[in-house]
Amino acid sequence: EYMKDPSFTYENIKTISTAGAGLLKWVLAMVNYYNVAKGVEPKRKKVAEAEKNLRLAQRDLADTKEQLAALNNQLTNLRSQFADKTLEQQDLRAKADLMERRLMAAERLIAGLSSEKERWANDIKSLEAAREKLVGDCLLCSSFLSYTGAFTFKYRSSMVYGLWQSDLLTRTVPLSQPFKLENIMTNDVETTAWALEGLPGDELSIQNGLLTTRAARWPLCIDPQMQAVTWIKRREGKQLEGKVRNSRCLTAHMNRSKPCCWLSWAEAKQ
């Protein structure tokens, strides 16, 4: 009620009593403080509670950031592993496709070669039979190389296919039948190469080619038609460069050289 009275002021009380005016001034200050504090205190509590909630939120935010960083690291590792596994998958898929193609090719090859099984079996039997007859075949071939080079074709045939072959058959030495020198000592590939080099394809020329290339002795070719000369020159090619000798200097050249360590060519000229 006093506070509502408009005359109840500091100035009016001071005219009455100075002490009372000071006391009034203090009371008015307390009243004003109370009025202000009554509105501020709830706000302070709210601020304190808000600050508390902020600290909790910041703590939760720090934990969340830490978890987020860990999850980001884990995600990075997982992405790296995913990329590696993807490359590995692609590599394995490529290898699987390659293996599948090879398997299919192998199956086709096996299917295609299955028809050759019978021929291969016959070839094995033929080779086994030929191995048993190597003794007689090698004996006749070595005899041909050692003794028949100087004779005519007719006399060679008489010695190899007549006298020696009959003797081996009489002694039951294993021998290929029918026996042919060309089948044992050479093949079609080599004789074709000889023909391309200029050697005639008749049996006598093939035998002379065998004596020239297989025998350990130096071949002496009596060659009026120059067929052997042409063949040997084409066959040896550049190896004969600087080694062609005439009959006069051949003896001196052979005396200065070591046996079996050089290739030389002698031409007897009239």
Side-chain angles (χ1 to χ4, degrees), residues 7-21:
S7 62
F8 188 70
T9 62
Y10 173 78
E11 288 78 11
N12 292 333
I13 298 300
K14 188 176 180 181
T15 59
I16 299 172
S17 174
T18 303

Side-chain angles (χ1 to χ4, degrees), residues 154-198:
K154 182 177 181 180
Y155 196 71
R156 290 178 190 170
S157 300
S158 175
M159 293 174 65
V160 176
Y161 298 114
L163 179 62
W164 293 342
Q165 182 177 208
S166 300
D167 184 63
L168 291 178
L169 293 175
T170 302
R171 300 173 186 272
T172 65
V173 176
L175 184 67
S176 298
Q177 290 296 318
F179 176 81
K180 291 287 291 183
L181 290 168
E182 296 81 357
N183 296 339
I184 305 299
M185 302 181 67
T186 186
N187 51 55
D188 293 339
V189 176
E190 187 176 30
T191 55
T192 301
W194 289 352
L196 294 175
E197 292 166 350

Side-chain angles (χ1 to χ4, degrees), residues 33-265:
Y33 175 79
Y34 171 76
N35 291 331
V36 173
K38 185 172 60 175
V40 171
E41 186 63 24
K43 294 180 180 180
R44 286 181 177 177
K45 291 182 180 180
K46 289 182 179 180
V47 170
E49 186 177 358
E51 289 177 349
K52 182 181 178 180
N53 293 334
L54 177 61
R55 289 192 297 270
L56 294 175
Q58 288 177 344
R59 188 185 305 168
D60 293 340
L61 178 61
D63 294 339
T64 303
K65 287 182 177 179
E66 185 178 353
Q67 294 178 3
L68 179 61
L71 291 175
N72 285 332
N73 292 332
Q74 185 177 1
L75 180 60
T76 302
N77 294 332
L78 290 175
R79 286 178 176 173
S80 177
Q81 293 178 8
F82 176 75
D84 294 339
K85 297 301 179 182
T86 301
L87 292 177
E88 184 178 358
Q89 180 188 17
Q90 294 175 355
D91 184 55
L92 292 176
R93 183 175 297 172
K95 289 181 178 179
D97 294 340
L98 179 61
M99 292 298 106
E100 185 176 1
R101 292 194 297 269
R102 288 180 177 178
L103 179 61
M104 295 176 62
E107 290 177 351
R108 291 195 298 268
L109 180 61
I110 292 174
L113 294 178
S114 59
S115 59
E116 299 290 324
K117 181 178 180 181
E118 182 177 356
R119 184 178 65 83
W120 289 345
N122 294 332
D123 289 344
I124 291 174
K125 293 180 180 179
S126 300
L127 290 174
E128 290 178 350
R131 182 177 60 181
E132 296 177 356
K133 300 174 181 178
L134 281 177
V135 176
D137 294 344
C138 291
L139 182 58
L140 273 183
C141 290
S142 60
S143 301
F144 166 77
L145 294 175
S146 300
Y147 302 111
T148 64
F151 300 114
T152 62
F153 174 71
K154 182 177 181 180
Y155 196 71
R156 290 178 190 170
S157 300
S158 175
M159 293 174 65
V160 176
Y161 298 114
L163 179 62
W164 293 342
Q165 182 177 208
S166 300
D167 184 63
L168 291 178
L169 293 175
T170 302
R171 300 173 186 272
T172 65
V173 176
L175 184 67
S176 298
Q177 290 296 318
F179 176 81
K180 291 287 291 183
L181 290 168
E182 296 81 357
N183 296 339
I184 305 299
M185 302 181 67
T186 186
N187 51 55
D188 293 339
V189 176
E190 187 176 30
T191 55
T192 301
W194 289 352
L196 294 175
E197 292 166 350
L199 184 69
D202 58 278
E203 188 174 359
L204 173 61
S205 298
I206 297 299
Q207 289 183 3
N208 291 336
L210 291 173
L211 290 167
T212 303
T213 57
R214 301 291 192 271
R217 300 175 181 176
W218 298 103
L220 174 62
C221 300
I222 301 174
D223 186 29
Q225 298 179 353
M226 302 297 289
Q227 293 176 341
V229 172
T230 302
W231 172 60
I232 293 175
K233 285 185 176 181
R234 289 182 180 177
R235 176 180 174 82
E236 301 301 334
K238 293 184 178 180
Q239 297 187 58
L240 290 176
E241 291 183 0
K243 298 179 181 180
V244 177
R245 312 290 175 180
N246 55 37
S247 58
R248 295 180 180 179
C249 64
L250 178 61
T251 302
H253 178 69
M254 293 178 64
N255 290 334
R256 292 194 303 268
S257 304
K258 294 182 180 180
C260 303
C261 296
W262 46 268
L263 173 65
S264 186
W265 176 266

